[in-house]
Amino acid sequence: MGNTDRLLGLRHCPSDLMVDIVDYRGRPANRSTSGGWTSALFIIGVEIAERFAFYGISSNLISYLTGPLGESTAMAAAALNAWNGVASMLPLLGAFVADSYLGRYRTIIIASLLYILGLGTLTLSSMLPIFHPAKCGMACSPPPLQVALFYVSLYLVAIAQGGHKPCVQAFGADQFDQNDPQERVARISFFNWWYFGICCGVLVTLVVLSYVQDSIGWGLGFGIPCIVMLFALVLFLLGTRTYRFCLLQEESPFSRIGRTVVALARKRQGKLPITELQSDIERVEETKGLLRLFPIWTTCLIYAVVFAQSSTLFTKQGGTLDRRISSKLQMPPAALQSFISASIIVSIPIYDGILVPVARKFSGLPSGITMLQRIGTGMALSLISMMIAALVEMKRLKTAREFGLVDQPSATIPMSLWWLVPQYVLLGVADVFTMVGLQEFFYDQVPDALRSLGLALYLSIFGIGSFISGFLISVINKTTGRGGDSWFSNNLNRAHLDYFYWLLAGLSMIELGLYVYFTQAYVYKKKQDTAVM
């Protein structure tokens, strides 16, 4: 393999030997002149821009679906959950392609180009004159061609994210040598500041783009993310000379894991001599290490269902309230999600700068608390958030009845947006614990050759969670709508989002109990993290 092939055929390899890590020319990488925070900052910048672009369309998408596309609340929420689910599941495919064939570097570049294409066609679908006849107002149904182009563009963005998301974060973490004491501590901070940077980008897009989309136009609101994604690609290429790269192994890790799973199954059936497996103990252990992650993966799914509500039902709920910040300024419904980002931005420096050093003195762990303890803490906070959301929704419905607004779905409920702030803030703090904890856990605990897959597994939690959310909404909407207004009626004043929130709180409580049970038996891959939940 020549130098060029070595650069483009990249993938994470065991990082305990710096000699196996190369620079952009394919030469052995020098720790002092490559990687570290210099490279990581380029990559964090790329992710901030990508999250700005992604949330620039996803955070306010329910308003576009129920507005220009004319879909019902339940239909729009189900469609959005389905898209989010696909977007979060496709990283499994992206990780497979990157780890087995293209490598992370090349996968990121191809995914970025697909991103720009998808966002560009999405912008066209909302701007072309043929989709907006001059004699037709808002009452007209959108042309089928517009709807088709919109959804094709939307799923092209999902495909692009599938290649981009698992590779960028893994590539960023690869810039730190886990066997170097200083770089290992820096890598722990990297996951915190990575999420901090993402939330800064999300905060800006929630405040700026939601206003642009609601007040100026969807064409510009979709066009800005396209331009930002082009900037992200340029920034990523500019950092090439500073990156550390790992070379593809001769055998795909997916093939190796697959063969081992089949061999273990044959052994259990007595069809395979035990000596055949004993000849490759390392391969067996890394396969078992991957399989033991699935109880943790499964018991985090309801957390992902709760997470899905912030961009769907929370947004519709907030759209009915008094959102005036001043006499002339009103906050767009989607911008309410900025309270999540703001709470994360405030919480991460506190967590990384105060909580971790204090906890480190008692536990002796570099991370202060274990990854599983961190995840479980966030799950408990999300449970409390859903309980508060249910209580606030009960208050909103009561206020609508008291002021005779039950049959006026377009009327503003005389209830301030500040009632919603606690549920958003708690979800943000929960993300600092669970979201960042899951990222570190699924990067750190998978076999070294499957780091992209590990982060794809983390993302798939939210994909399956979105599917579960969409399924629950569809089934409950159909079931409860038979006798009158469903829980998700288009007239939210006759709906019962509070019932749905209580249901999610109950499921979260069951999930947390199962999570604690399974984590008691979990044994960490790294000796530094031997403590249990």
Side-chain angles (χ1 to χ4, degrees), residues 115-148:
Y115 234 127
I116 295 167
L117 176 62
L119 291 171
T121 54
L122 190 65
T123 303
L124 288 177
S125 75
S126 65
M127 290 182 64
L128 289 180
I130 61 171
F131 296 143
H132 306 281
K135 297 181 180 179
C136 189
M138 290 297 293
C140 295
S141 298
L145 180 60
Q146 178 187 6
V147 177

Side-chain angles (χ1 to χ4, degrees), residues 322-338:
D322 182 357
R323 292 172 279 107
R324 290 176 298 175
I325 299 177
S326 67
S327 59
K328 296 183 179 180
L329 184 61
Q330 178 172 271
M331 179 177 288
L336 292 170
Q337 297 171 61
S338 63

Side-chain angles (χ1 to χ4, degrees), residues 452-468:
S452 293
L453 175 64
L455 290 173
L457 284 173
Y458 142 72
L459 291 169
S460 71
I461 292 174
F462 296 90
I464 297 297
S466 292
F467 286 135
I468 295 173

Side-chain angles (χ1 to χ4, degrees), residues 212-263:
V212 171
Q213 291 164 352
D214 289 348
S215 304
I216 299 178
W218 290 97
L220 183 61
F222 289 150
I224 291 174
C226 182
I227 296 172
V228 170
M229 199 60 221
L230 179 61
F231 167 78
L233 176 58
V234 173
L235 182 64
F236 181 71
L237 293 174
L238 287 175
T240 298
R241 289 175 176 267
T242 73
Y243 300 148
R244 292 175 183 172
F245 303 97
C246 295
L247 307 178
L248 283 167
Q249 296 180 354
E250 293 296 329
E251 181 186 16
S252 164
F254 288 87
S255 300
R256 188 171 65 250
I257 295 292
R259 288 193 297 104
T260 307
V261 170
V262 172

